[in-house]
């Protein structure tokens, strides 16, 4: 695969993250979830009539939030396995496949912000009980975490956004690659806009939206440092600039947020620089842990 084609495909996956999982008829978690939240390994939980695949590692640490990892578009929890294993040495860490991804059921209709939040709530209830959580998301997972947190400040006490999809991704893409574009760039534009409208494998669709505040929780935003989008013919530099601006926009989610650049990484920061991702998540966990 050429570097040019690879960049186009990765951008499609990255911007797929602007959409959020769930179903128009939003599923509800089972009324009587299992009492124990301390399972280790993988387990299927029911959310309405759908089955969601969940993986957990590590033991609960007194006072520490549970870490919940959210994968990017086109991925599954298996992609996060090494990161989860590294973090589990000091904390309880869980991940899950969204509907339409990995070993979870397919969605039974279009997916929305509200319904994907209900799926995430069911996962959090199962793996953390009444304990707080830190959400750490990559690309699509970062967008989900950032959209979810303002409405769940009672549970979400910290965020790590790893190259999260821009909150204005559709507008960014339309400005970066105009209607007059041809060739690879035009194909990329059309394919990505189609995904943003809900035609992707997860049936995800979401409009651009302003960033809402989640209060003063600790937030670390990490952006890629290797300009892989520059490989897109003619419009690559503009796409890179728009992506960087999108990362800055996420800082508005908290009065206690910071932005760093993973200089050795393309889009998959937690694979290219795993130590950097682990350190960022652990910092947020410690900042979100009440002082005793």
């Amino acid at each position: 695969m050429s570097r040019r084609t690879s960049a186009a495909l990765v951008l499609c996956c990255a911007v797929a993250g602007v959409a959020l999982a769930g179903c128009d008829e939003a599923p509800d978690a089972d009324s009587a979830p299992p009492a124990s939240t301390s399972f280790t390994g993988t387990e299927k939980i029911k959310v309405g009539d759908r089955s969601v695949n969940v993986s957990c590692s590590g033991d609960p640490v007194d006072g520490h939030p549970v870490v919940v990892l959210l994968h990017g578009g086109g991925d599954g929890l298996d992609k996060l396995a090494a990161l989860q294993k590294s973090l589990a040495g000091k904390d309880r860490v869980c991940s899950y496949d969204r509907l339409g991804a990995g070993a979870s059921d397919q969605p039974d209709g279009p997916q929305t912000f509200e319904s994907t939040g209900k799926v995430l709530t069911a996962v959090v209830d199962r793996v953390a009980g009444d304990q707080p959580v830190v959400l750490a998301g990559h690309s699509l997972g970062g967008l989900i975490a950032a959209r979810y947190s303002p409405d769940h400040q009672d549970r979400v006490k910290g965020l790590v956004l790893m190259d999260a999809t821009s909150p204005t991704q559709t507008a960014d893409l339309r400005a970066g690659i105009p209607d007059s574009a041809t060739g690879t760039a035009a194909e990329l534009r059309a394919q990505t806009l189609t995904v943003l409208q809900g035609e992707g494998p997860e049936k995800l669709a979401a409009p651009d939206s302003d960033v809402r505040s989640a209060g003063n929780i600790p937030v670390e935003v990490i952006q890629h440092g290797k300009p892989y989008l520059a490989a897109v013919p003619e419009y690559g530099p503009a796409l890179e600039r728009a992506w960087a601006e999108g990362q800055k926009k996420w800082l508005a989610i908290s009065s206690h947020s910071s932005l760093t650049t993973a200089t050795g990484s393309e889009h998959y920061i937690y694979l290219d620089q795993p130590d950097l991702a682990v350190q960022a998540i652990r910092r947020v966990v410690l900042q979100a842990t009440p002082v005793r």
Side-chain angles (χ1 to χ4, degrees):
M1 180 182 293
S2 70
R3 183 166 179 261
R4 175 180 299 177
T5 302
S6 176
L9 291 175
V10 171
L11 180 61
C12 280
C13 288
V15 293
V18 82
L20 293 180
C23 302
D24 277 345
E25 292 299 324
D28 293 318
D30 287 346
S31 58
S36 173
T37 61
S38 60
F39 76 91
T40 298
T42 58
E43 182 174 293
K44 296 288 183 69
I45 69 169
K46 294 296 289 185
V47 184
D49 63 352
R50 304 286 91 182
S51 179
V52 177
N53 190 47
V54 182
S55 171
C56 286
S57 308
D59 297 320
V61 177
D62 186 36
H64 283 210
V66 174
V67 177
V68 178
L69 305 175
L70 293 89
H71 63 76
D75 297 330
L77 64 78
D78 58 321
K79 196 97 170 182
L80 297 163
L83 177 62
Q84 181 168 318
K85 182 178 180 180
S86 295
L87 290 165
K90 293 187 177 181
D91 285 291
R92 176 162 167 77
V93 188
C94 301
S95 57
Y96 72 105
D97 291 322
R98 291 186 302 279
L99 296 178
S104 289
D105 284 350
Q106 294 297 309
D108 57 7
Q111 303 201 75
T112 67
F113 286 94
E114 179 182 5
S115 53
T116 197
K118 291 194 174 186
V119 174
L120 178 52
T121 294
V123 171
V124 168
D125 286 346
R126 178 65 184 92
V127 305
D130 59 359
Q131 298 301 305
V133 296
V134 163
L135 303 180
H138 168 249
S139 194
L140 162 59
L143 179 62
I144 292 173
R147 293 297 192 211
Y148 180 85
S149 298
D151 293 325
H152 297 85
Q153 296 181 44
D154 58 327
R155 301 298 301 281
V156 180
K157 300 303 180 181
L159 283 173
V160 179
L161 306 179
M162 296 176 283
D163 229 27
T165 303
S166 169
T168 55
Q169 188 60 65
T170 295
D172 296 347
L173 185 62
R174 290 186 183 280
I177 304 178
D179 290 337
S180 58
T182 59
T184 300
E187 293 173 7
L188 170 61
R189 184 182 191 273
Q191 291 168 4
T192 304
L193 290 175
T194 296
V195 169
L196 295 173
Q197 293 163 4
E199 299 298 325
E202 297 178 42
K203 300 180 182 178
L204 309 174
D208 289 350
S209 179
D210 293 335
V211 176
R212 294 183 298 131
S213 173
N216 65 346
I217 62 172
V219 176
E220 292 209 18
V221 179
I222 312 172
Q223 64 183 356
H224 69 261
K226 286 188 174 181
Y228 71 91
L229 295 174
V232 178
E234 187 176 354
Y235 303 105
L239 293 175
E240 283 287 351
R241 289 192 296 271
W243 191 266
E245 286 301 313
Q247 302 308 296
K248 292 178 183 177
K249 291 174 184 176
W250 284 126
L251 294 175
I253 199 168
S254 172
S255 57
H256 187 191
S257 60
S258 64
L259 172 65
T260 58
T261 300
T263 57
S265 297
E266 293 188 357
H267 188 50
Y268 284 87
I269 293 168
Y270 65 92
L271 296 180
D272 292 341
Q273 293 184 266
D275 289 346
L276 186 151
V278 168
Q279 290 166 11
I281 294 169
R282 284 183 173 161
R283 279 194 301 270
V284 169
V285 167
L286 290 175
Q287 291 169 31
T289 300
V291 177
R292 293 178 181 270

